[in-house]
Amino acid sequence: MAEITIPIGPQHPALKEPINITLKVEGEVIVEPILRIGYNHRGIEKAMEARSYIQNIYLAERVCGICSHVHSSTLVQGAEELLELEIPRRGLYIRTIFLELERIHSHLLWLGVAAHEVGFDTLFMYTWRDREIVMDLLELISGNRVNYAMNTVGGTRRDINDEQKKKLLKGMDALEERTKYYVKIATTEPTFLKRVEGVGILKKEVAKKLCAVGPTARGSGLRMDIRKDDPYAAYDEIPFEAITSDLCDVMGRTVVRVKELLEAYKIIKYAVNNLPAGEIRKKARRKIPENEILSYTEAPRGELLYYIKSNGTEKPERVKIRTPTLANIPSTIEMLKGGYIADIPIVFAAMDPCIACMDRVILVDKKNNERSMNWEALRRYGIKWYEVKR
Amino acid sequence: MKYPGAMLSEIWRHLIKKPATVLYPLERPQIPENFRGKIEYYDDKCIRCGLCARDCPSGACTMKKFEEDKKPRPVFDLGMCLFCGQCAEVCPKDAISLTKKFEFSTFDKSSLIVE
């Protein structure tokens, strides 16, 4: 059978963010998927060099809309380490509570999106409605539903009072009950099971070789969780389990995320009940001594890396960000191989892609020596590009 | 047991529940205590230190020289503001506060300037 190439994206109804997937197919089976990224470069790393650390906290929060707190936490953690500052325990506990609240809202969002991609919109509506509980809690404490602006160099900016503690515990109880119901749905409803079992297989060895991170790796049986491997914030004092699954398919990744939700409720309940008394922040110097550091945390999607190079001034000399989506791209290509065209949305959604956070570099083709293109030239270039690929 | 329609009971239950949404302009949403809305600036408290403009991440807060003043004082452009509240936090005299007001969509950009 003749090999056919199908281009999907960068603009396509099935995609929520710009990415290009070029598929070589035989019938309905994908032979070779080619992913092309770099359509959404925003120059955040360069912008960070022009701003002070305090200003960068708010810029880092805007790298990703879903996991904003984890980005600012990673940056702030690096800056605190460079200052050799000891953060008050209460500040660290509040930071941890927010990291987990964010994980809950991210995983509930993912469950809804995954259900939507397999055509199970009822589950999508109900998970997103329940997500409002955690969004309201985030708004109650920080004042915003996203971009909470809770972190600062030296601790957190807002305290949690007794009334908020009560509401947090009540919200966690409600969510736990709902999540147990979703566990039941996800494991018994054939509408869901038929679309996720045996789809997007990523074997343990392959996942290890391709450096998969986060729930993608844990869904393939790799036990890697920064919260356990190198505890940050208050994770060293809080008991919880790192969830893994040996199913190695989309179902495995679903199980990991849903069970992680239950762990997150446990962590928040423990942290709220054992919240240490005292200060929430320490005064930090604005100028950060010359050094370099690699700061990493476990974002809802996986390991998030920040490399910070300071030069003794208020502004960093270089900040390098590696988001978990980028680390999972090679694994996704592997998952798509041998699958069906109809399974692309769910396999792709299973790694929880965040394309806009991922793009760090843009390549300019200097061979053609064309700095700018008019509409006609762009059209010709597009036709030529796809001709070469074919 | 694996059978289709595991969510049916849930769906029936919701037929008699009240909607999860709020009829916005008629019913008002509840604004939380820590909400960060429209910036308010109190000129009598300000000592013109300029820390707010120095820390503003988006350049919404700038120091502007007025004829009647000796030193420049902060001017806020809410069109550029992120509502992070860093200016209010860094202010040594509490001359800036973030209110609960959130409805300021307008056709006139000058109405977004707070001074």
Side-chain angles (χ1 to χ4, degrees):
Chain A
M1 198 187 283
E3 207 173 67
I4 295 168
T5 312
I6 306 173
I8 300 173
Q11 267 79 42
H12 191 271
L15 299 170
K16 282 157 196 79
E17 287 177 275
I19 187 167
N20 175 277
I21 315 167
T22 306
L23 302 161
K24 283 190 180 145
V25 292
E26 266 184 29
E28 263 195 84
V29 180
I30 304 161
V31 181
E32 198 194 345
I34 303 156
L35 256 69
R36 203 178 132 98
I37 57 174
Y39 294 97
N40 214 344
H41 178 63
R42 294 178 293 170
I44 281 194
E45 287 177 359
K46 189 70 194 165
M48 280 196 168
E49 290 167 21
R51 283 165 173 80
S52 71
Y53 287 92
I54 298 281
Q55 291 171 323
N56 276 336
I57 297 168
Y58 306 107
L59 183 62
E61 270 189 337
R62 281 152 182 87
V63 172
C64 183
I66 305 294
C67 36
S68 62
H69 186 74
V70 77
H71 274 272
S72 67
S73 293
T74 320
L75 179 84
V76 155
Q77 195 176 293
E80 283 161 359
E81 201 72 28
L82 287 171
L83 279 170
E84 292 172 6
L85 207 67
E86 200 166 314
I87 313 306
R89 299 304 304 165
R90 193 179 175 88
L92 287 181
Y93 265 70
I94 293 172
R95 197 179 280 175
T96 313
I97 290 172
F98 260 76
L99 284 166
E100 287 308 312
L101 282 172
E102 193 176 69
R103 195 180 312 279
I104 293 169
H105 104 70
S106 176
H107 280 0
L108 279 175
L109 177 131
W110 178 85
L111 188 63
V113 170
H116 172 69
E117 298 290 7
V118 299
F120 193 7
D121 275 354
T122 317
L123 185 62
F124 161 56
M125 296 289 172
Y126 285 149
T127 46
W128 278 44
R129 187 205 52 190
D130 293 334
R131 183 169 162 263
E132 286 303 306
I133 300 174
V134 69
M135 299 306 275
D136 286 346
L137 287 173
L138 286 165
E139 197 185 14
L140 175 80
I141 302 165
S142 73
N144 253 18
R145 285 162 61 90
V146 284
N147 298 336
Y148 324 108
M150 280 295 279
N151 276 323
T152 191
V153 182
T156 45
R157 290 176 58 194
R158 287 175 205 88
D159 206 350
I160 295 180
N161 61 29
D162 288 340
E163 197 194 333
Q164 287 166 341
K165 269 190 199 172
K166 247 182 243 162
K167 280 189 179 163
L168 263 173
L169 291 174
K170 212 177 135 195
M172 289 306 111
D173 283 337
L175 279 169
E176 194 170 343
E177 194 193 313
R178 293 301 303 170
T179 309
K180 278 179 182 158
Y181 178 68
Y182 295 136
V183 173
K184 200 188 114 203
I185 295 295
T187 49
T188 56
E189 173 68 56
T191 326
F192 191 71
L193 287 176
K194 286 251 157 75
R195 289 297 307 273
V196 295
E197 272 180 338
V199 172
I201 289 184
L202 183 73
K203 288 268 179 294
K204 191 176 175 179
E205 303 78 54
V206 184
K208 204 170 185 178
K209 204 175 84 188
L210 296 174
C211 304
V213 294
T216 310
R218 291 197 287 275
S220 292
L222 274 180
R223 194 193 164 282
M224 49 182 295
D225 191 329
I226 306 295
R227 294 176 293 168
K228 278 276 176 212
D229 299 340
D230 188 4
Y232 56 96
Y235 284 113
D236 49 346
E237 293 176 14
I238 299 172
F240 71 99
E241 272 173 60
I243 308 288
T244 54
S245 167
D246 293 327
L247 291 169
C248 301
D249 54 3
V250 177
M251 187 65 199
R253 277 152 238 158
T254 312
V255 169
V256 165
R257 285 201 175 89
V258 177
K259 284 191 176 165
E260 254 176 32
L261 279 173
L262 294 169
E263 285 302 311
Y265 306 143
K266 260 205 281 177
I267 295 173
I268 291 175
K269 278 183 194 170
Y270 182 91
V272 169
N273 287 327
N274 297 292
L275 198 63
E279 290 272 285
I280 53 163
R281 62 186 288 185
K282 239 184 189 176
K283 209 167 159 37
R285 269 182 297 144
R286 279 168 180 265
K287 284 183 181 173
I288 292 186
E290 192 180 341
N291 212 333
E292 53 186 348
I293 197 156
L294 189 69
S295 170
Y296 45 91
T297 47
E298 184 75 21
R301 295 175 168 86
E303 183 192 49
L304 171 70
L305 286 180
Y306 265 64
Y307 166 77
I308 306 164
K309 190 173 192 303
S310 58
N311 54 4
T313 62
E314 274 183 27
K315 293 168 186 174
E317 192 169 300
R318 174 86 172 97
V319 180
K320 161 90 193 112
I321 309 167
R322 205 242 28 217
T323 56
T325 308
L326 189 66
N328 278 334
I329 287 282
S331 324
T332 309
I333 294 172
E334 195 61 37
M335 285 178 219
L336 287 170
K337 265 181 207 167
Y340 291 112
I341 295 173
D343 289 332
I344 298 169
I346 182 62
V347 171
F348 205 65
M351 72 146 173
D352 206 358
C354 191
I355 311 300
C357 344
M358 170 175 73
D359 283 342
R360 290 282 89 85
V361 143
I362 198 151
L363 288 172
V364 180
D365 190 1
K366 280 210 165 174
K367 246 187 275 169
N368 295 331
N369 225 3
E370 275 181 49
R371 284 272 164 138
S372 59
M373 281 185 195
N374 58 19
W375 182 246
E376 196 49 45
L378 182 69
R379 195 172 159 269
R380 271 202 310 273
Y381 176 76
I383 293 167
K384 207 178 112 202
W385 193 79
Y386 280 117
E387 262 175 4
V388 172
K389 293 284 157 188
R390 205 173 283 147
Chain B
M1 200 181 86
K2 290 177 187 177
Y3 58 92
M7 284 191 100
L8 271 179
S9 59
E10 179 83 14
I11 293 163
W12 291 126
R13 225 151 40 82
H14 278 82
L15 284 175
I16 48 165
K17 269 196 171 177
K18 69 169 196 189
T21 46
V22 176
L23 270 173
Y24 163 58
L26 306 172
E27 291 169 40
R28 307 303 293 176
Q30 229 186 349
I31 309 295
E33 205 51 46
N34 293 337
F35 187 79
R36 306 192 295 273
K38 191 172 185 170
I39 289 175
E40 227 150 76
Y41 167 66
Y42 311 103
D43 191 35
D44 49 331
K45 286 185 190 171
C46 182
I47 53 164
R48 276 84 165 138
C49 65
L51 275 175
C52 44
R54 185 177 162 188
D55 269 358
C56 181
S58 62
C61 175
T62 45
M63 300 303 277
K64 197 175 165 188
K65 180 90 176 69
F66 287 86
E67 294 246 325
E68 68 272 18
D69 269 346
K70 265 188 229 156
K71 278 183 172 177
R73 63 181 158 104
V75 175
F76 302 89
D77 182 355
L78 296 185
M80 288 160 88
C81 184
L82 310 170
F83 302 97
C84 61
Q86 181 65 35
C87 50
E89 187 190 293
V90 82
C91 184
K93 296 286 170 194
D94 292 330
I96 305 161
S97 73
L98 273 77
T99 58
K100 284 189 182 180
K101 285 176 205 151
F102 64 95
E103 292 154 312
F104 36 90
S105 57
T106 176
F107 288 108
D108 177 22
K109 271 188 181 176
S110 62
S111 70
L112 292 172
I113 309 282
V114 176
E115 44 179 49

